[in-house]
């Protein structure tokens, strides 16, 4: 069974013409030399139940090479069918002067003329059909079609409304997860997976107590509650803070560390309560050293205070 017969027997033959065309191009992606033409059957004579009525092929010669063209017969009107019939077929009025055989011959000539005219408009019909295919691809493949990705990227940037140094793919991931923010709101385990997916780094999250070292209370006359007037010592807030520890396996420079930690904070601000402070930390499993010129801090160079 050749590829054309396989297509005819496949389920995609029942798809609308634009979707079928896209699937067919993917099916023949290894045959780049093939030509595809759309041949409109017209819907005036019969109402078809599906777009793609038939598939046929025809060989042709280019520079002594035999190539193959595939014709996609669809049950739609061609440009030819949209134009006034009188442009192509002069009115034939049967009367006493025309015999039955002459009427049949005139009808046969009109049908041949119709077929010739449909062939003439095939390049134009194919071009318009491919434009519709492109528009359909933008609708169906919003995350992969190039122009759709640009629109989605601009939309994501407008909605996120933060100056985050992200690639387009990272913006997509953050935007899509913001649409499902209920699954991540205050869920540290899910947020760890989200940060790993977007940033590429493991980030450990945990709640830590928020301790007020300075009095959060107003003065009572000349006394300060918690200092000179009862409730001595530190005050623990009822809302915990969030500690975010960025864990990196490989060596990384300090500037990248700072930038990535700031990005982690901007992402977390979407998913944790605003009254929680986000405390950032860094942890690496790679051997890292800080060089001062030709010397290594902690090895042949030490810092002292005077």
């Amino acid at each position: 069974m050749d590829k054309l017969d396989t297509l005819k027997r496949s389920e995609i033959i029942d798809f609308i013409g634009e979707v079928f065309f896209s699937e067919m191009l993917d099916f023949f992606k290894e045959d780049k030399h093939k030509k595809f033409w759309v041949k409109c059957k017209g819907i005036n004579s019969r109402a078809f139940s599906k777009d793609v009525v038939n598939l046929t092929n025809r060989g042709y010669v280019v520079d002594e090479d035999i190539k193959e063209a595939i014709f996609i017969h669809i049950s739609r009107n061609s440009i030819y069918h949209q134009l006034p019939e009188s442009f192509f077929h002069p009115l034939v009025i049967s009367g006493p002067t025309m015999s039955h055989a002459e009427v049949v011959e005139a009808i046969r000539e009109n049908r041949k003329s119709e077929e010739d005219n449909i062939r003439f408009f095939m390049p134009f019909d194919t071009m318009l059909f491919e434009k519709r295919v492109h528009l359909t691809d933008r609708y169906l493949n919003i995350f992969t079609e190039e122009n759709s990705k640009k629109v989605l990227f601009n939309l994501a940037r407008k909605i996120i409304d933060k100056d985050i140094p992200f690639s387009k793919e990272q913006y997509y991931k953050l935007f899509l997860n913001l649409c499902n923010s209920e699954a991540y709101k205050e869920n540290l385990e899910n947020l760890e997976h989200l940060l790993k997916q977007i940033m590429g780094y493991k980030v450990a999250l945990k709640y830590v107590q928020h301790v007020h070292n300075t009095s959060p209370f107003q003065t009572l006359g000349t006394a300060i509650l918690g200092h000179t007037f009862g409730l001595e010592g530190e005050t623990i807030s009822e809302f915990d803070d969030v500690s975010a520890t960025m864990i990196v396996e490989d060596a990384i420079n300090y500037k990248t560390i700072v930038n990535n930690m700031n990005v982690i904070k901007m992402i977390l601000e979407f998913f944790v309560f605003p009254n929680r402070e986000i405390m950032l930390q860094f942890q690496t499993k790679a051997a890292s050293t800080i060089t001062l010129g030709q010397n290594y801090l902690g090895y042949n160079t030490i810092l002292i205070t005077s």
Side-chain angles (χ1 to χ4, degrees), residues 3-149:
K3 285 190 173 183
L4 214 57
D5 288 331
T6 302
L7 274 178
K8 290 180 182 180
R9 296 171 182 268
S10 69
E11 61 180 9
I12 68 172
I13 196 73
D14 294 322
F15 293 172
I16 65 171
E18 288 81 4
V19 177
F20 171 83
F21 192 85
S22 295
E23 294 293 328
M24 186 192 64
L25 290 179
D26 187 61
F27 188 75
F28 285 104
K29 61 183 177 182
E30 296 178 357
D31 302 319
K32 298 180 180 179
H33 62 279
K34 282 190 183 299
K35 288 284 187 180
F36 300 95
W37 299 97
V38 172
K39 188 174 183 181
C40 299
K41 301 286 289 184
I43 59 175
N44 294 328
S45 59
R46 179 180 176 185
F48 292 97
S49 60
K50 59 182 181 179
D51 268 350
V52 182
V53 180
N54 194 15
L55 297 172
T56 58
N57 60 342
R58 180 176 298 177
Y60 62 98
V61 178
V62 176
D63 296 332
E64 299 183 352
D65 290 334
I66 299 177
K67 298 184 181 296
E68 183 185 29
I70 294 179
F71 292 82
I72 308 163
H73 303 261
I74 62 174
S75 57
R76 298 186 189 179
N77 284 334
S78 164
I79 296 176
Y80 157 76
H81 296 101
Q82 307 293 341
L83 295 173
E85 187 175 3
S86 59
F87 283 7
F88 310 99
H89 307 286
L91 295 177
V92 177
I93 303 174
S94 64
T97 59
M98 293 186 67
S99 66
H100 178 72
E102 290 174 332
V103 172
V104 172
E105 182 61 26
I107 293 174
R108 184 181 292 113
E109 287 296 325
N110 275 346
R111 286 180 177 174
K112 182 180 182 302
S113 176
E114 177 183 14
E115 186 67 22
D116 291 340
N117 288 323
I118 289 176
R119 287 198 187 98
F120 173 80
F121 283 104
M122 274 178 54
F124 307 101
D125 290 331
T126 301
M127 181 180 66
L128 292 175
F129 187 82
E130 288 175 346
K131 292 295 183 181
R132 288 195 294 268
V133 169
H134 179 66
L135 294 174
T136 304
D137 283 343
R138 289 182 60 179
Y139 174 76
L140 294 177
N141 305 308
I142 187 172
F143 300 111
T144 56
E145 204 276 332
E146 192 60 34
N147 289 323
S148 295
K149 285 170 65 176

